[in-house]
Amino acid sequence: MEQPDAIIHQPLRLKIMAALKGLPRGERLEFMRLRAILNATEGNLGAHLGTLETAGYIKVEKDFNGKKPRTRVSLTDAGTHAYAEYVVFLRAILDDEGSPAPIGVATHAD
Amino acid sequence: MTLSPNEAADALRDIAAIETRSHRLYGYRQGSSHLILWGVLWAIGYGLTEPWPQQGRAIWSALVAIGLVGGFVIVLRSHARVANRTGAKPRIYWRFPAIALTGFAFIFAGIAVMGPVSGRQIGAFIPLVVAAGYAVMGFWLGLRFTIAGAVLAALTLAGFFLLPTHFSPWMAVVGGGTLILSGFWLRRA
């Protein structure tokens, strides 16, 4: 079996991808709303968004809503594909539940 | 690092729950603008038909037209925003007009079958149909729609039976107000 995507494998990043996947294609989610959905701290969420953006999985857009700064995040096509692949990977683990050893996952720096 | 079947199952459960929550909040946000729009129109409509009951048909015809056009604009703007960003082809937006047409056809057919009916009965029947619509929508889109529909229905019935002589002002303030507050409540979810 192939190794899973190390970027998405990190739990909070996986949850970020899931939250964005819950939107219709092309829709954006505000940072504060995303933070509320995931119950994450601002700094932690910001760092993981940076990693996902660098990987090309999400698009981060910053602008002003009136005088208030606003950050909005959306899933890219590459991110959609990577997330779908990761879900297939997770399901495959359950399908292979009878196999003797758990599936190995590549170590990565968070 | 390894991933056991239990961990995989937990991860799948977590992401399914998050996708559902995110989708529900998106639906709330989309629905909120419509509720606020119709809340304002109801407040105006019931407010104006109290002093000018003879002009009720003209007032409501104009307000319903504004509401339908406004609702269509909300839907179009939302789709256009996404289409601009993704480069997707323009879609045919048939659902909103189809839902509106079905709803109004049902309401007018119901009134025709049950007639003759008073202005107060029509003024209660339409909000009850709308409330039922929101309540049913909530079974798919999230509990807040169901709660908004239930509250709207309860307040409409309360006004109809307990305040028959002040029904229009009641619906202007309480009916319209319920829709507006529900819209903001959905937006804040």
Side-chain angles (χ1 to χ4, degrees):
Chain A
M1 179 176 290
E2 288 180 19
Q3 292 294 302
D5 186 323
I7 301 288
I8 299 182
H9 183 66
Q10 201 283 336
L12 183 56
R13 290 202 284 268
L14 176 61
K15 289 176 182 175
I16 292 170
M17 298 295 282
L20 296 176
K21 185 66 178 60
L23 305 176
R25 183 175 174 265
E27 279 290 359
R28 296 173 290 191
L29 196 55
E30 284 193 32
F31 181 89
M32 297 311 286
R33 190 162 282 258
L34 181 60
R35 190 185 143 194
I37 291 171
L38 302 177
N39 200 18
T41 63
E42 207 166 315
N44 199 18
L45 182 57
H48 287 300
L49 287 177
T51 304
L52 289 169
E53 187 183 24
T54 304
Y57 290 171
I58 63 168
K59 188 175 175 187
V60 179
E61 296 167 82
K62 296 184 178 190
D63 64 357
F64 283 87
N65 183 21
K67 289 183 178 177
K68 289 175 71 177
R70 177 174 59 180
T71 301
R72 288 183 289 182
V73 190
S74 58
L75 209 54
T76 63
D77 288 342
T80 305
H81 181 72
Y83 179 76
E85 292 275 301
Y86 191 82
V87 171
V88 168
F89 163 76
L90 290 175
R91 289 197 177 127
I93 293 175
L94 294 184
D95 291 343
D96 294 345
E97 196 170 351
S99 62
I103 306 299
V105 174
T107 306
H108 64 275
D110 287 340
Chain B
M1 198 192 313
T2 58
L3 202 61
S4 69
N6 279 346
E7 288 170 327
D10 287 346
L12 282 169
R13 246 192 317 273
D14 283 351
I15 62 177
I18 289 170
E19 275 190 43
T20 301
R21 176 162 164 71
S22 177
H23 184 74
R24 183 181 303 138
L25 293 182
Y26 175 80
Y28 283 162
R29 194 160 185 80
Q30 294 298 104
S32 69
S33 302
H34 294 276
L35 263 77
I36 293 167
L37 169 69
W38 282 102
V40 170
L41 294 176
W42 280 25
I44 295 170
Y46 284 106
L48 290 179
T49 47
E50 172 71 5
W52 296 291
Q54 275 75 34
Q55 273 73 47
R57 189 181 293 263
I59 291 167
W60 279 111
S61 298
L63 291 174
V64 166
I66 292 169
L68 290 177
V69 171
F72 196 52
V73 167
I74 290 169
V75 173
L76 272 181
R77 283 182 61 184
S78 170
H79 284 283
R81 211 174 47 236
V82 172
N84 280 343
R85 237 184 1 262
T86 60
K89 286 181 183 173
R91 288 164 45 194
I92 299 169
Y93 310 109
W94 60 271
R95 280 197 183 87
F96 181 80
I99 291 168
L101 193 66
T102 305
F104 279 101
F106 172 78
I107 286 169
F108 288 119
I111 290 169
V113 167
M114 291 186 297
V117 289
S118 69
R120 188 167 67 91
Q121 285 173 307
I122 294 174
F125 177 66
I126 294 174
L128 287 174
V129 173
V130 170
Y134 282 126
V136 170
M137 271 170 60
F139 300 150
W140 283 270
L141 300 178
L143 184 63
R144 290 194 182 208
F145 280 112
T146 302
I147 293 171
V151 170
L152 182 62
L155 292 172
T156 300
L157 290 171
F160 185 82
F161 289 112
L162 303 177
L163 294 166
T165 54
H166 298 92
F167 182 66
S168 285
W170 170 266
M171 287 306 291
V173 176
V174 177
T178 298
L179 285 180
I180 294 168
L181 290 176
S182 297
F184 284 111
W185 184 48
L186 292 181
R187 195 166 282 190
R188 286 172 56 89

